[in-house]
Amino acid sequence: GFACYSSPIPRADTERVAITRFEPVTTREDSVHHITVFGCDARVQTKHAGVTFGQDCAAWQFARAPSDKTAADSSPPPCRVIVYAYDKGADAFEAPDGTAVHVGEGTGITHVLYQVHYLAPATVSPPEPWRDASGVRFSLRFAGDVRAASRTTPIGILATMHTRMRLPANERRVRFEYAIGPFSARMAPDFASARVKNGTREVTLVAAHMHGHGMLERYEFGLIRPASSGESSGERRVPIGILEGYAGYGADQSFMALPTRRMSDGEKTGGKTGGKTVGVAMGPGDSMYVRCTFDTRAASNAASSVAYGVGHGEEMCGQLVYYYPFAADVGAAGAMRRPEPRDDDAGGVRDNELFNVFFGDDTRVNTTIETDAM
């Protein structure tokens, strides 16, 4: 089940605040499946003051705008971005030196909403009730004024997830891949505020949480770059994050500095976040590919397929990537102003109401599934 709770950010209604560290706190680590933290304006407390449950919480209703732009209440939803996400067993995330998630004055974020998903171990039925106090502890830097806050570069999250994934069950090795992008329209303010390098403006990807469940064995994602003027033909792939021997829940759920590479022979680069910023440049014409390899023999013997989902026996293949610069300002009703996701849709398909978050419901998301027998 899901529970939501909203909270004001101290002093965010009067000044710029930098969040430099997110530390997950779980009362029952075995039963807290994930915690997603959304950046919101003050309107979120009209429906989510205190603890709330049900479909409004589970289905992100706080982040969904009316489908009809001419509707009486056509204002943007109160929650516009994800600022952090925890999955079972992950370590804390510390922003690289000189960067932080910016909230408060000039950002449209004065509150956060925690969405906690509970999934008790399958071997415990039913679990004993407990009084839960799970959430996230923030490290806040109070700037005093916008100029002081600007000493850190604002970072944001680009997230991709394929919500229509369905894998064949009882297979030793299933390779699932999808590609999405480019992100020039959705991330236009970020590219516009980035420095010019090599004749173009590029954002820098600095840390990634590569996510799957217990059947995932290998995770890889990277960029698909169009051919440059000096190349004869075709696009090229640039791997950014590779985790061989993916361990499901635990440390592999943590945000890792980019680029990161862990191979079967033990070779490893990247690692914990914080410290010096390295990162990988992404241009407005680049797309992103995600490739997950699963062992689906752990699926129920009665199952013919393994679906996307948050329950036992279900899987995921997607990541959240911190990048800089992230640019936003304040629009009507104190809401964050960014390019509307609906304006970037292909054929009227809306993948999500949150900026920089792409689900797999879109015709632009190309997928392939391979097994060893193919």
Side-chain angles (χ1 to χ4, degrees):
F2 290 84
C4 286
Y5 177 79
S6 65
S7 175
I9 302 169
R11 294 163 58 174
D13 58 337
T14 58
E15 65 179 83
R16 183 71 65 96
V17 180
I19 308 174
T20 59
R21 191 173 191 270
F22 298 89
E23 180 185 357
V25 178
T26 53
T27 307
R28 281 281 298 270
E29 186 174 347
D30 63 339
S31 296
V32 175
H33 183 259
H34 71 258
I35 304 172
T36 306
V37 184
F38 299 86
C40 313
D41 57 58
R43 294 173 299 149
V44 71
Q45 293 209 302
T46 60
K47 284 191 174 182
H48 289 279
V51 180
T52 59
F53 306 92
Q55 189 68 7
D56 279 1
C57 170
W60 295 15
Q61 293 301 324
F62 45 81
R64 296 184 182 276
S67 57
D68 182 2
K69 290 185 179 182
T70 64
D73 182 17
S74 59
S75 60
C79 301
R80 314 309 306 274
V81 290
I82 295 172
V83 296
Y84 171 75
Y86 159 84
D87 280 276
K88 188 189 295 185
D91 298 325
F93 167 71
E94 184 172 353
D97 288 347
T99 71
V101 173
H102 281 204
V103 298
E105 185 180 18
T107 69
I109 301 175
T110 57
H111 291 62
V112 291
L113 183 139
Y114 304 92
Q115 183 207 54
V116 184
H117 175 231
Y118 300 94
L119 184 66
T123 55
V124 179
S125 181
E128 289 294 322
W130 76 96
R131 185 175 180 86
D132 192 57
S134 297
V136 177
R137 182 179 293 116
F138 293 359
S139 294
L140 303 179
R141 181 179 299 171
F142 297 107
D145 59 51
V146 173
R147 288 176 297 174
S150 66
R151 293 174 186 169
T152 57
T153 299
I155 57 175
I157 282 181
L158 168 63
T160 61
M161 180 63 73
H162 199 295
T163 56
R164 293 186 179 180
M165 180 178 73
R166 187 169 292 274
L167 310 170
N170 303 308
E171 293 284 350
R172 169 64 187 88
R173 187 172 286 107
V174 179
R175 290 173 288 273
F176 177 79
E177 180 176 317
Y178 62 98
I180 191 165
F183 310 111
S184 56
R186 184 71 66 92
M187 296 170 60
D190 309 319
F191 288 114
S193 61
R195 294 180 178 177
V196 177
K197 293 180 65 176
N198 302 319
T200 187
R201 296 183 185 271
E202 300 174 322
V203 299
T204 302
L205 314 179
V206 293
H209 163 28
M210 294 166 270
H211 181 62
H213 299 162
M215 301 182 202
L216 183 60
E217 290 190 324
R218 185 182 189 276
Y219 194 104
E220 176 180 343
F221 84 101
L223 298 178
I224 302 174
R225 287 188 166 144
S228 65
S229 57
E231 296 173 325
S232 57
S233 63
E235 58 192 23
R236 57 190 177 94
R237 291 192 170 200
V238 180
I240 297 175
I242 299 176
L243 292 179
E244 296 270 13
Y246 194 92
Y249 301 114
D252 282 357
Q253 300 292 341
S254 304
F255 280 93
M256 301 182 187
L258 295 176
T260 191
R261 178 184 178 96
R262 186 180 70 208
M263 307 302 288
S264 57
D265 59 6
E267 176 192 358
K268 184 177 181 180
T269 59
K272 290 187 177 181
T273 56
K276 183 179 179 181
T277 303
V278 181
V280 176
M282 183 179 77
D286 294 339
S287 298
M288 190 172 286
Y289 75 90
V290 186
R291 184 177 178 89
C292 294
T293 304
F294 299 91
D295 181 350
T296 62
R297 293 177 298 176
S300 167
N301 291 333
S304 60
S305 62
V306 175
Y308 163 88
V310 297
H312 294 297
E314 297 176 324
E315 269 295 348
M316 290 190 178
C317 174
Q319 75 271 335
L320 293 90
V321 182
Y322 278 109
Y323 71 91
Y324 71 82
F326 175 76
D329 59 14
V330 180
M336 176 183 286
R337 182 164 54 192
R338 294 268 297 184
E340 289 292 342
R342 71 186 72 178
D343 294 336
D344 189 31
D345 291 334
V349 178
R350 295 170 59 190
D351 56 17
N352 196 306
E353 281 299 342
L354 286 178
F355 299 121
N356 303 0
V357 179
F358 291 80
F359 286 165
D361 299 343
D362 194 322
T363 54
R364 295 170 296 180
V365 182
N366 302 311
T367 63
T368 59
I369 296 178
E370 299 176 346
T371 65
D372 282 348
M374 295 177 67

